[in-house]
Amino acid sequence: MRRKRSRKYIGKNNSKNEMKSYETELNIKEKIMSEDKDRNIEYLKNAFFDSGDFGSRTITFNNQKYTILFISSLVNKEKINELVIKPMLEKEEGYIPDIVTAVKVDETNDLTDAERALVKGYTVILSEKEPQMYVVSVYKTEFRSIQEPTNEYVIRGTHEGFIESLETNIYLLRKRIENPNLKVEYMVLGKATNTTLAIMYLKDLADPKLVEKVKKRISCIKTDSIQTPGYVEEFIEDYPWSPFPQTLNTERPDRATGNIMEGRVAILMEGSPTLLIVPVTFFSFYQSPDDYNTRWIVGTFLRALRLASFLIAIGLPAVYIALVSFNMEVIPIELIFSVKSSLEFIPFPPLIEAFIMQLTLELLREAAVRLPSPISQTIGIVGGLVIGTAVVQANLISNVMLIVVALTGIASFVVPSNEMTTTLRLLGFPLMILAALLGVVGIVFGLMVLLIHLCRMEPFGHPYFAPFAPFHLKDIKDTIIRLPRWMLDTRPLDARPQHYRQEWYSRRWKQDEE
C-alpha cells in the first residue's frame, strides 16, 4: 500500500491475526478485490476512515444484491438517481454497462482504482457474484462561469478566460483549434492529492523531443501535494536561480491557442485557471493579444513601447543615481540647477533615496493586491499622493527622485506578464547598487551580465533570447515589431524541432565560410 495503514480492520475480530489474514486474502500488494462483497465494502469504508460523507445504497438487480458506493460531497445525486438507480430498477436484469446510461462506465477488480475513483467523484457498483466492480462517472460539476481574466484585460478580442475546470479549459482550446492533430495527454501528480494534469500540443507541429522532455520532467516529480501550476513550473524549469521566468503563464484561451499553433506545448491542471506554455523566449512575455487584434502599425508601436519599458523599469533609477553621484556634467545646463537645488537639503545619498521610494512603492503594490478592490484603488491613489507630497515637503526625498521612481513603477506595469513584471522590480535593485559604486560603468557592466545570461539560457533546449541569440532575421518580424499578418507566413525558428534548427544553423555557417 502507498500509505502506512495504522488503523485496524473494523469487524467482529480486531486481532492482528485476523487483520493479517484479511490483508492476505485481499492480496494487498495488488489490492485485488475479494470474492466476499461485504469485505470489499468494509475495506473501502475503512480506506476512508468511515468518513461521514461516505454513502451507499443497496438494490436488487439480476436476482442478486448490488451495492452502490459513493462520496456524497463529490457526486451529483441527481445523476446517480437518473443514470444509475432508476435504469437498474426499471430493467431488473441485464449487463450493467448496457443498463446504466452514464457517459463513462469502466470495469475493474482493483480496490486501489476503486479508491481513486471514489475520491474523484465516481460511484462504484459491487455485486455478490460478479468478479469485477463497475465505476460510473457521476461526479459533481460546479464551477464559476467563463469570464475574462482580471489580470489580462484586452481592448479588442475575445473576453473568455480559463476557469478551475480542466475539461472546460480543454473545451475552450479545442473550440479554437478544430484539428484532429491537437493531442491531449493526461498525467497524475502528487501522492496525496492525485492532481490531474493535461499536456496539449499539435502532433504535426510540436517538436517530438520537446514533448518527450516535458513528459519526462513531469513524470519525475515526486511530491505529496501539487496545488497550483507554480509547483510544476519550479520542478521542470532549467534555471532555478535565474530571475527570468522560463514558462509563460496565461489565463487567456486566445493567447494559449496562438502559442500552440506555433508548435509549443501547453500544460493545464485541474483546479487552476492558469495554463503553462513551454518553451518560450524573452520576447514572448511582451506579446499581447491586442497586438494581433489591431492594425500592424499600432501593434508595432505598442510592442516597441513595452520593450522600451523594460529598460526604463530596470535602468532609470540607476541612471539617475549615476548621473547625480558621478557624472553631473552630463546633465544639460538648463536642468542642472533644478536638480542641484532639489538635492540641496536632502540628508540621504541618492542610493538611499531610491531604496526608500522603491520599497515604499512595493509596499503600496502589495497592500493594493491584498485589500478588496474599492479599498485597494483608494490606498493606491491616496497613499501615493499623501506619501509623495509629505516626503518632498519634509526634504527627505528630492522631487526629481520622486518623478524617477513614479516613471519606473509605471513602466513596470506596461508588461502584459505578471512574472516578468516581478523580474523587473527585482533587477532594478542590483543595478542601483552598481550605479552608486561605479557610476555609468557599473550600469554598463550590469547590463552586459544580463545580456550574457539571456544569451546563454536555453530552457528545454530552445534559445531564450531568440531571434537575436542566435540571430535569425526573419523572426524579428514578430518580436520588436509586428509586421502585417500576411507577412507572418513562417513559424518562429525557436519553436521548431531541434534537427530543423541545426540544419538551418549549419547552412548559415557554410554560407558565412564561403
PDB file of all heavy atoms in Angstrom, residues 303-338:
ATOM      1  N   ARG A 303       4.157  47.302 -29.032  1.00  0.00           N
ATOM      2  CA  ARG A 303       5.185  46.341 -28.642  1.00  0.00           C
ATOM      3  C   ARG A 303       6.529  47.026 -28.411  1.00  0.00           C
ATOM      4  O   ARG A 303       7.242  46.689 -27.454  1.00  0.00           O
ATOM      5  CB  ARG A 303       5.327  45.256 -29.703  1.00  0.00           C
ATOM      6  CG  ARG A 303       6.277  44.173 -29.255  1.00  0.00           C
ATOM      7  CD  ARG A 303       6.124  42.923 -30.025  1.00  0.00           C
ATOM      8  NE  ARG A 303       4.807  42.390 -30.144  1.00  0.00           N
ATOM      9  CZ  ARG A 303       4.506  41.395 -30.979  1.00  0.00           C
ATOM     10  NH1 ARG A 303       5.458  40.863 -31.723  1.00  0.00           N
ATOM     11  NH2 ARG A 303       3.282  40.934 -31.059  1.00  0.00           N
ATOM     12  N   ALA A 304       6.886  47.971 -29.251  1.00  0.00           N
ATOM     13  CA  ALA A 304       8.126  48.713 -29.038  1.00  0.00           C
ATOM     14  C   ALA A 304       8.073  49.503 -27.736  1.00  0.00           C
ATOM     15  O   ALA A 304       9.082  49.620 -27.018  1.00  0.00           O
ATOM     16  CB  ALA A 304       8.382  49.646 -30.219  1.00  0.00           C
ATOM     17  N   LEU A 305       6.898  50.014 -27.414  1.00  0.00           N
ATOM     18  CA  LEU A 305       6.739  50.742 -26.152  1.00  0.00           C
ATOM     19  C   LEU A 305       6.954  49.824 -24.960  1.00  0.00           C
ATOM     20  O   LEU A 305       7.602  50.208 -23.968  1.00  0.00           O
ATOM     21  CB  LEU A 305       5.344  51.370 -26.106  1.00  0.00           C
ATOM     22  CG  LEU A 305       5.055  52.327 -24.948  1.00  0.00           C
ATOM     23  CD1 LEU A 305       5.932  53.566 -25.052  1.00  0.00           C
ATOM     24  CD2 LEU A 305       3.576  52.720 -24.944  1.00  0.00           C
ATOM     25  N   ARG A 306       6.448  48.598 -25.044  1.00  0.00           N
ATOM     26  CA  ARG A 306       6.632  47.656 -23.933  1.00  0.00           C
ATOM     27  C   ARG A 306       8.099  47.278 -23.772  1.00  0.00           C
ATOM     28  O   ARG A 306       8.594  47.175 -22.648  1.00  0.00           O
ATOM     29  CB  ARG A 306       5.798  46.393 -24.182  1.00  0.00           C
ATOM     30  CG  ARG A 306       4.309  46.615 -24.144  1.00  0.00           C
ATOM     31  CD  ARG A 306       3.559  45.304 -24.145  1.00  0.00           C
ATOM     32  NE  ARG A 306       2.219  45.489 -24.680  1.00  0.00           N
ATOM     33  CZ  ARG A 306       1.825  45.100 -25.876  1.00  0.00           C
ATOM     34  NH1 ARG A 306       2.681  44.466 -26.672  1.00  0.00           N
ATOM     35  NH2 ARG A 306       0.605  45.315 -26.289  1.00  0.00           N
ATOM     36  N   LEU A 307       8.778  47.034 -24.870  1.00  0.00           N
ATOM     37  CA  LEU A 307      10.190  46.673 -24.779  1.00  0.00           C
ATOM     38  C   LEU A 307      11.026  47.842 -24.256  1.00  0.00           C
ATOM     39  O   LEU A 307      12.002  47.635 -23.526  1.00  0.00           O
ATOM     40  CB  LEU A 307      10.703  46.221 -26.141  1.00  0.00           C
ATOM     41  CG  LEU A 307      10.148  44.875 -26.618  1.00  0.00           C
ATOM     42  CD1 LEU A 307      10.487  44.623 -28.072  1.00  0.00           C
ATOM     43  CD2 LEU A 307      10.690  43.748 -25.753  1.00  0.00           C
ATOM     44  N   ALA A 308      10.652  49.074 -24.619  1.00  0.00           N
ATOM     45  CA  ALA A 308      11.351  50.239 -24.061  1.00  0.00           C
ATOM     46  C   ALA A 308      11.100  50.351 -22.559  1.00  0.00           C
ATOM     47  O   ALA A 308      11.981  50.795 -21.804  1.00  0.00           O
ATOM     48  CB  ALA A 308      10.897  51.511 -24.779  1.00  0.00           C
ATOM     49  N   SER A 309       9.924  49.934 -22.131  1.00  0.00           N
ATOM     50  CA  SER A 309       9.626  49.988 -20.695  1.00  0.00           C
ATOM     51  C   SER A 309      10.525  49.053 -19.897  1.00  0.00           C
ATOM     52  O   SER A 309      10.741  49.277 -18.696  1.00  0.00           O
ATOM     53  CB  SER A 309       8.158  49.638 -20.451  1.00  0.00           C
ATOM     54  OG  SER A 309       7.921  48.250 -20.713  1.00  0.00           O
ATOM     55  N   PHE A 310      11.051  47.996 -20.537  1.00  0.00           N
ATOM     56  CA  PHE A 310      11.978  47.100 -19.842  1.00  0.00           C
ATOM     57  C   PHE A 310      13.229  47.856 -19.404  1.00  0.00           C
ATOM     58  O   PHE A 310      13.671  47.757 -18.248  1.00  0.00           O
ATOM     59  CB  PHE A 310      12.348  45.935 -20.768  1.00  0.00           C
ATOM     60  CG  PHE A 310      13.456  45.068 -20.245  1.00  0.00           C
ATOM     61  CD1 PHE A 310      13.206  44.127 -19.264  1.00  0.00           C
ATOM     62  CD2 PHE A 310      14.751  45.202 -20.724  1.00  0.00           C
ATOM     63  CE1 PHE A 310      14.233  43.326 -18.770  1.00  0.00           C
ATOM     64  CE2 PHE A 310      15.774  44.409 -20.244  1.00  0.00           C
ATOM     65  CZ  PHE A 310      15.515  43.471 -19.257  1.00  0.00           C
ATOM     66  N   LEU A 311      13.804  48.635 -20.325  1.00  0.00           N
ATOM     67  CA  LEU A 311      15.000  49.403 -19.985  1.00  0.00           C
ATOM     68  C   LEU A 311      14.685  50.508 -18.986  1.00  0.00           C
ATOM     69  O   LEU A 311      15.491  50.803 -18.097  1.00  0.00           O
ATOM     70  CB  LEU A 311      15.609  49.991 -21.260  1.00  0.00           C
ATOM     71  CG  LEU A 311      16.124  48.969 -22.289  1.00  0.00           C
ATOM     72  CD1 LEU A 311      16.610  49.676 -23.541  1.00  0.00           C
ATOM     73  CD2 LEU A 311      17.233  48.123 -21.678  1.00  0.00           C
ATOM     74  N   ILE A 312      13.514  51.130 -19.131  1.00  0.00           N
ATOM     75  CA  ILE A 312      13.147  52.186 -18.185  1.00  0.00           C
ATOM     76  C   ILE A 312      12.958  51.625 -16.779  1.00  0.00           C
ATOM     77  O   ILE A 312      13.422  52.200 -15.787  1.00  0.00           O
ATOM     78  CB  ILE A 312      11.859  52.895 -18.660  1.00  0.00           C
ATOM     79  CG1 ILE A 312      12.112  53.614 -19.989  1.00  0.00           C
ATOM     80  CG2 ILE A 312      11.360  53.880 -17.610  1.00  0.00           C
ATOM     81  CD1 ILE A 312      10.860  54.215 -20.599  1.00  0.00           C
ATOM     82  N   ALA A 313      12.294  50.468 -16.682  1.00  0.00           N
ATOM     83  CA  ALA A 313      11.979  49.907 -15.371  1.00  0.00           C
ATOM     84  C   ALA A 313      13.221  49.473 -14.605  1.00  0.00           C
ATOM     85  O   ALA A 313      13.296  49.622 -13.389  1.00  0.00           O
ATOM     86  CB  ALA A 313      11.017  48.727 -15.525  1.00  0.00           C
ATOM     87  N   ILE A 314      14.207  48.912 -15.304  1.00  0.00           N
ATOM     88  CA  ILE A 314      15.388  48.421 -14.589  1.00  0.00           C
ATOM     89  C   ILE A 314      16.518  49.442 -14.538  1.00  0.00           C
ATOM     90  O   ILE A 314      17.396  49.351 -13.673  1.00  0.00           O
ATOM     91  CB  ILE A 314      15.918  47.114 -15.218  1.00  0.00           C
ATOM     92  CG1 ILE A 314      16.507  47.371 -16.611  1.00  0.00           C
ATOM     93  CG2 ILE A 314      14.849  46.055 -15.253  1.00  0.00           C
ATOM     94  CD1 ILE A 314      17.212  46.180 -17.192  1.00  0.00           C
ATOM     95  N   GLY A 315      16.491  50.432 -15.472  1.00  0.00           N
ATOM     96  CA  GLY A 315      17.654  51.302 -15.584  1.00  0.00           C
ATOM     97  C   GLY A 315      17.480  52.753 -15.216  1.00  0.00           C
ATOM     98  O   GLY A 315      18.471  53.438 -14.925  1.00  0.00           O
ATOM     99  N   LEU A 316      16.250  53.267 -15.196  1.00  0.00           N
ATOM    100  CA  LEU A 316      16.072  54.701 -14.952  1.00  0.00           C
ATOM    101  C   LEU A 316      16.567  55.145 -13.579  1.00  0.00           C
ATOM    102  O   LEU A 316      17.316  56.129 -13.488  1.00  0.00           O
ATOM    103  CB  LEU A 316      14.602  55.081 -15.162  1.00  0.00           C
ATOM    104  CG  LEU A 316      14.293  56.574 -15.080  1.00  0.00           C
ATOM    105  CD1 LEU A 316      15.094  57.342 -16.128  1.00  0.00           C
ATOM    106  CD2 LEU A 316      12.793  56.834 -15.267  1.00  0.00           C
ATOM    107  N   PRO A 317      16.198  54.489 -12.465  1.00  0.00           N
ATOM    108  CA  PRO A 317      16.759  54.918 -11.171  1.00  0.00           C
ATOM    109  C   PRO A 317      18.273  54.801 -11.121  1.00  0.00           C
ATOM    110  O   PRO A 317      18.949  55.664 -10.549  1.00  0.00           O
ATOM    111  CB  PRO A 317      16.088  53.966 -10.171  1.00  0.00           C
ATOM    112  CG  PRO A 317      14.884  53.465 -10.847  1.00  0.00           C
ATOM    113  CD  PRO A 317      15.236  53.391 -12.290  1.00  0.00           C
ATOM    114  N   ALA A 318      18.824  53.740 -11.743  1.00  0.00           N
ATOM    115  CA  ALA A 318      20.277  53.568 -11.746  1.00  0.00           C
ATOM    116  C   ALA A 318      20.953  54.687 -12.531  1.00  0.00           C
ATOM    117  O   ALA A 318      22.004  55.212 -12.110  1.00  0.00           O
ATOM    118  CB  ALA A 318      20.637  52.211 -12.326  1.00  0.00           C
ATOM    119  N   VAL A 319      20.389  55.072 -13.664  1.00  0.00           N
ATOM    120  CA  VAL A 319      20.969  56.162 -14.462  1.00  0.00           C
ATOM    121  C   VAL A 319      20.931  57.467 -13.676  1.00  0.00           C
ATOM    122  O   VAL A 319      21.913  58.239 -13.666  1.00  0.00           O
ATOM    123  CB  VAL A 319      20.213  56.294 -15.793  1.00  0.00           C
ATOM    124  CG1 VAL A 319      20.628  57.568 -16.526  1.00  0.00           C
ATOM    125  CG2 VAL A 319      20.468  55.082 -16.669  1.00  0.00           C
ATOM    126  N   TYR A 320      19.837  57.737 -13.000  1.00  0.00           N
ATOM    127  CA  TYR A 320      19.748  58.966 -12.206  1.00  0.00           C
ATOM    128  C   TYR A 320      20.789  58.973 -11.092  1.00  0.00           C
ATOM    129  O   TYR A 320      21.463  59.993 -10.856  1.00  0.00           O
ATOM    130  CB  TYR A 320      18.341  59.087 -11.627  1.00  0.00           C
ATOM    131  CG  TYR A 320      18.183  60.262 -10.686  1.00  0.00           C
ATOM    132  CD1 TYR A 320      18.060  61.552 -11.173  1.00  0.00           C
ATOM    133  CD2 TYR A 320      18.173  60.067  -9.310  1.00  0.00           C
ATOM    134  CE1 TYR A 320      17.918  62.636 -10.316  1.00  0.00           C
ATOM    135  CE2 TYR A 320      18.034  61.140  -8.435  1.00  0.00           C
ATOM    136  CZ  TYR A 320      17.907  62.424  -8.945  1.00  0.00           C
ATOM    137  OH  TYR A 320      17.779  63.484  -8.085  1.00  0.00           O
ATOM    138  N   ILE A 321      20.953  57.844 -10.404  1.00  0.00           N
ATOM    139  CA  ILE A 321      21.948  57.766  -9.331  1.00  0.00           C
ATOM    140  C   ILE A 321      23.348  57.975  -9.882  1.00  0.00           C
ATOM    141  O   ILE A 321      24.175  58.696  -9.300  1.00  0.00           O
ATOM    142  CB  ILE A 321      21.839  56.402  -8.620  1.00  0.00           C
ATOM    143  CG1 ILE A 321      20.520  56.302  -7.861  1.00  0.00           C
ATOM    144  CG2 ILE A 321      23.006  56.197  -7.660  1.00  0.00           C
ATOM    145  CD1 ILE A 321      20.240  54.928  -7.291  1.00  0.00           C
ATOM    146  N   ALA A 322      23.654  57.366 -11.031  1.00  0.00           N
ATOM    147  CA  ALA A 322      24.989  57.507 -11.621  1.00  0.00           C
ATOM    148  C   ALA A 322      25.262  58.941 -12.042  1.00  0.00           C
ATOM    149  O   ALA A 322      26.365  59.474 -11.818  1.00  0.00           O
ATOM    150  CB  ALA A 322      25.123  56.562 -12.815  1.00  0.00           C
ATOM    151  N   LEU A 323      24.287  59.610 -12.655  1.00  0.00           N
ATOM    152  CA  LEU A 323      24.494  60.985 -13.101  1.00  0.00           C
ATOM    153  C   LEU A 323      24.658  61.936 -11.932  1.00  0.00           C
ATOM    154  O   LEU A 323      25.519  62.829 -11.955  1.00  0.00           O
ATOM    155  CB  LEU A 323      23.317  61.422 -13.983  1.00  0.00           C
ATOM    156  CG  LEU A 323      23.147  60.686 -15.319  1.00  0.00           C
ATOM    157  CD1 LEU A 323      21.964  61.238 -16.079  1.00  0.00           C
ATOM    158  CD2 LEU A 323      24.409  60.773 -16.158  1.00  0.00           C
ATOM    159  N   VAL A 324      23.837  61.778 -10.915  1.00  0.00           N
ATOM    160  CA  VAL A 324      23.902  62.685  -9.771  1.00  0.00           C
ATOM    161  C   VAL A 324      25.164  62.450  -8.947  1.00  0.00           C
ATOM    162  O   VAL A 324      25.774  63.400  -8.417  1.00  0.00           O
ATOM    163  CB  VAL A 324      22.637  62.529  -8.905  1.00  0.00           C
ATOM    164  CG1 VAL A 324      22.767  63.307  -7.602  1.00  0.00           C
ATOM    165  CG2 VAL A 324      21.421  63.011  -9.674  1.00  0.00           C
ATOM    166  N   SER A 325      25.606  61.210  -8.840  1.00  0.00           N
ATOM    167  CA  SER A 325      26.738  60.887  -7.968  1.00  0.00           C
ATOM    168  C   SER A 325      28.089  61.034  -8.656  1.00  0.00           C
ATOM    169  O   SER A 325      29.077  61.401  -8.006  1.00  0.00           O
ATOM    170  CB  SER A 325      26.590  59.450  -7.443  1.00  0.00           C
ATOM    171  OG  SER A 325      25.373  59.281  -6.752  1.00  0.00           O
ATOM    172  N   PHE A 326      28.161  60.718  -9.972  1.00  0.00           N
ATOM    173  CA  PHE A 326      29.468  60.671 -10.637  1.00  0.00           C
ATOM    174  C   PHE A 326      29.571  61.574 -11.868  1.00  0.00           C
ATOM    175  O   PHE A 326      30.639  62.108 -12.143  1.00  0.00           O
ATOM    176  CB  PHE A 326      29.789  59.231 -11.072  1.00  0.00           C
ATOM    177  CG  PHE A 326      29.993  58.288  -9.926  1.00  0.00           C
ATOM    178  CD1 PHE A 326      28.934  57.547  -9.418  1.00  0.00           C
ATOM    179  CD2 PHE A 326      31.247  58.131  -9.348  1.00  0.00           C
ATOM    180  CE1 PHE A 326      29.115  56.675  -8.362  1.00  0.00           C
ATOM    181  CE2 PHE A 326      31.439  57.263  -8.296  1.00  0.00           C
ATOM    182  CZ  PHE A 326      30.376  56.525  -7.787  1.00  0.00           C
ATOM    183  N   ASN A 327      28.502  61.700 -12.613  1.00  0.00           N
ATOM    184  CA  ASN A 327      28.591  62.350 -13.920  1.00  0.00           C
ATOM    185  C   ASN A 327      27.587  63.499 -14.024  1.00  0.00           C
ATOM    186  O   ASN A 327      26.747  63.536 -14.923  1.00  0.00           O
ATOM    187  CB  ASN A 327      28.348  61.335 -15.042  1.00  0.00           C
ATOM    188  CG  ASN A 327      29.287  60.150 -14.964  1.00  0.00           C
ATOM    189  OD1 ASN A 327      28.929  59.087 -14.454  1.00  0.00           O
ATOM    190  ND2 ASN A 327      30.508  60.338 -15.461  1.00  0.00           N
ATOM    191  N   MET A 328      27.697  64.451 -13.123  1.00  0.00           N
ATOM    192  CA  MET A 328      26.796  65.595 -13.141  1.00  0.00           C
ATOM    193  C   MET A 328      26.966  66.436 -14.408  1.00  0.00           C
ATOM    194  O   MET A 328      26.036  67.119 -14.842  1.00  0.00           O
ATOM    195  CB  MET A 328      27.049  66.455 -11.905  1.00  0.00           C
ATOM    196  CG  MET A 328      26.066  67.586 -11.696  1.00  0.00           C
ATOM    197  SD  MET A 328      24.417  67.052 -11.194  1.00  0.00           S
ATOM    198  CE  MET A 328      24.724  66.670  -9.467  1.00  0.00           C
ATOM    199  N   GLU A 329      28.159  66.382 -15.014  1.00  0.00           N
ATOM    200  CA  GLU A 329      28.408  67.190 -16.201  1.00  0.00           C
ATOM    201  C   GLU A 329      27.601  66.735 -17.410  1.00  0.00           C
ATOM    202  O   GLU A 329      27.460  67.481 -18.386  1.00  0.00           O
ATOM    203  CB  GLU A 329      29.902  67.165 -16.558  1.00  0.00           C
ATOM    204  CG  GLU A 329      30.431  65.830 -17.066  1.00  0.00           C
ATOM    205  CD  GLU A 329      30.742  64.834 -15.949  1.00  0.00           C
ATOM    206  OE1 GLU A 329      30.552  65.195 -14.770  1.00  0.00           O
ATOM    207  OE2 GLU A 329      31.169  63.703 -16.259  1.00  0.00           O
ATOM    208  N   VAL A 330      27.072  65.525 -17.366  1.00  0.00           N
ATOM    209  CA  VAL A 330      26.279  65.016 -18.493  1.00  0.00           C
ATOM    210  C   VAL A 330      24.903  65.674 -18.537  1.00  0.00           C
ATOM    211  O   VAL A 330      24.291  65.799 -19.600  1.00  0.00           O
ATOM    212  CB  VAL A 330      26.152  63.481 -18.384  1.00  0.00           C
ATOM    213  CG1 VAL A 330      25.301  62.921 -19.508  1.00  0.00           C
ATOM    214  CG2 VAL A 330      27.530  62.846 -18.398  1.00  0.00           C
ATOM    215  N   ILE A 331      24.409  66.122 -17.382  1.00  0.00           N
ATOM    216  CA  ILE A 331      23.081  66.737 -17.312  1.00  0.00           C
ATOM    217  C   ILE A 331      23.121  68.078 -18.026  1.00  0.00           C
ATOM    218  O   ILE A 331      24.043  68.880 -17.823  1.00  0.00           O
ATOM    219  CB  ILE A 331      22.645  66.913 -15.850  1.00  0.00           C
ATOM    220  CG1 ILE A 331      22.686  65.562 -15.121  1.00  0.00           C
ATOM    221  CG2 ILE A 331      21.255  67.519 -15.761  1.00  0.00           C
ATOM    222  CD1 ILE A 331      22.372  65.650 -13.651  1.00  0.00           C
ATOM    223  N   PRO A 332      22.130  68.392 -18.870  1.00  0.00           N
ATOM    224  CA  PRO A 332      22.098  69.697 -19.552  1.00  0.00           C
ATOM    225  C   PRO A 332      22.096  70.851 -18.554  1.00  0.00           C
ATOM    226  O   PRO A 332      21.553  70.741 -17.456  1.00  0.00           O
ATOM    227  CB  PRO A 332      20.798  69.644 -20.360  1.00  0.00           C
ATOM    228  CG  PRO A 332      20.535  68.196 -20.550  1.00  0.00           C
ATOM    229  CD  PRO A 332      21.052  67.516 -19.328  1.00  0.00           C
ATOM    230  N   ILE A 333      22.680  71.959 -18.974  1.00  0.00           N
ATOM    231  CA  ILE A 333      22.835  73.107 -18.094  1.00  0.00           C
ATOM    232  C   ILE A 333      21.484  73.679 -17.662  1.00  0.00           C
ATOM    233  O   ILE A 333      21.344  74.255 -16.577  1.00  0.00           O
ATOM    234  CB  ILE A 333      23.689  74.193 -18.796  1.00  0.00           C
ATOM    235  CG1 ILE A 333      24.133  75.249 -17.786  1.00  0.00           C
ATOM    236  CG2 ILE A 333      22.927  74.794 -19.966  1.00  0.00           C
ATOM    237  CD1 ILE A 333      25.090  74.752 -16.746  1.00  0.00           C
ATOM    238  N   GLU A 334      20.460  73.506 -18.509  1.00  0.00           N
ATOM    239  CA  GLU A 334      19.137  74.023 -18.159  1.00  0.00           C
ATOM    240  C   GLU A 334      18.521  73.244 -17.001  1.00  0.00           C
ATOM    241  O   GLU A 334      17.647  73.757 -16.297  1.00  0.00           O
ATOM    242  CB  GLU A 334      18.197  73.966 -19.371  1.00  0.00           C
ATOM    243  CG  GLU A 334      18.576  74.884 -20.523  1.00  0.00           C
ATOM    244  CD  GLU A 334      19.641  74.277 -21.404  1.00  0.00           C
ATOM    245  OE1 GLU A 334      20.049  73.108 -21.148  1.00  0.00           O
ATOM    246  OE2 GLU A 334      20.094  74.953 -22.359  1.00  0.00           O
ATOM    247  N   LEU A 335      18.930  71.980 -16.835  1.00  0.00           N
ATOM    248  CA  LEU A 335      18.339  71.142 -15.797  1.00  0.00           C
ATOM    249  C   LEU A 335      19.223  71.018 -14.560  1.00  0.00           C
ATOM    250  O   LEU A 335      18.723  70.641 -13.488  1.00  0.00           O
ATOM    251  CB  LEU A 335      18.075  69.732 -16.353  1.00  0.00           C
ATOM    252  CG  LEU A 335      17.060  69.611 -17.485  1.00  0.00           C
ATOM    253  CD1 LEU A 335      16.993  68.180 -17.963  1.00  0.00           C
ATOM    254  CD2 LEU A 335      15.686  70.087 -17.029  1.00  0.00           C
ATOM    255  N   ILE A 336      20.484  71.332 -14.683  1.00  0.00           N
ATOM    256  CA  ILE A 336      21.401  71.031 -13.583  1.00  0.00           C
ATOM    257  C   ILE A 336      21.093  71.861 -12.343  1.00  0.00           C
ATOM    258  O   ILE A 336      21.224  71.396 -11.208  1.00  0.00           O
ATOM    259  CB  ILE A 336      22.854  71.233 -14.045  1.00  0.00           C
ATOM    260  CG1 ILE A 336      23.806  70.624 -13.009  1.00  0.00           C
ATOM    261  CG2 ILE A 336      23.166  72.705 -14.280  1.00  0.00           C
ATOM    262  CD1 ILE A 336      25.231  70.520 -13.498  1.00  0.00           C
ATOM    263  N   PHE A 337      20.613  73.107 -12.542  1.00  0.00           N
ATOM    264  CA  PHE A 337      20.295  73.938 -11.383  1.00  0.00           C
ATOM    265  C   PHE A 337      19.056  73.412 -10.656  1.00  0.00           C
ATOM    266  O   PHE A 337      18.992  73.426  -9.419  1.00  0.00           O
ATOM    267  CB  PHE A 337      20.080  75.387 -11.824  1.00  0.00           C
ATOM    268  CG  PHE A 337      21.333  76.042 -12.320  1.00  0.00           C
ATOM    269  CD1 PHE A 337      21.497  76.308 -13.669  1.00  0.00           C
ATOM    270  CD2 PHE A 337      22.351  76.394 -11.446  1.00  0.00           C
ATOM    271  CE1 PHE A 337      22.653  76.902 -14.144  1.00  0.00           C
ATOM    272  CE2 PHE A 337      23.521  77.000 -11.910  1.00  0.00           C
ATOM    273  CZ  PHE A 337      23.675  77.247 -13.271  1.00  0.00           C
ATOM    274  N   SER A 338      18.063  72.927 -11.423  1.00  0.00           N
ATOM    275  CA  SER A 338      16.863  72.372 -10.786  1.00  0.00           C
ATOM    276  C   SER A 338      17.197  71.101 -10.018  1.00  0.00           C
ATOM    277  O   SER A 338      16.729  70.902  -8.888  1.00  0.00           O
ATOM    278  CB  SER A 338      15.808  72.066 -11.852  1.00  0.00           C
ATOM    279  OG  SER A 338      15.436  73.237 -12.532  1.00  0.00           O
TER     280      SER A 338
END
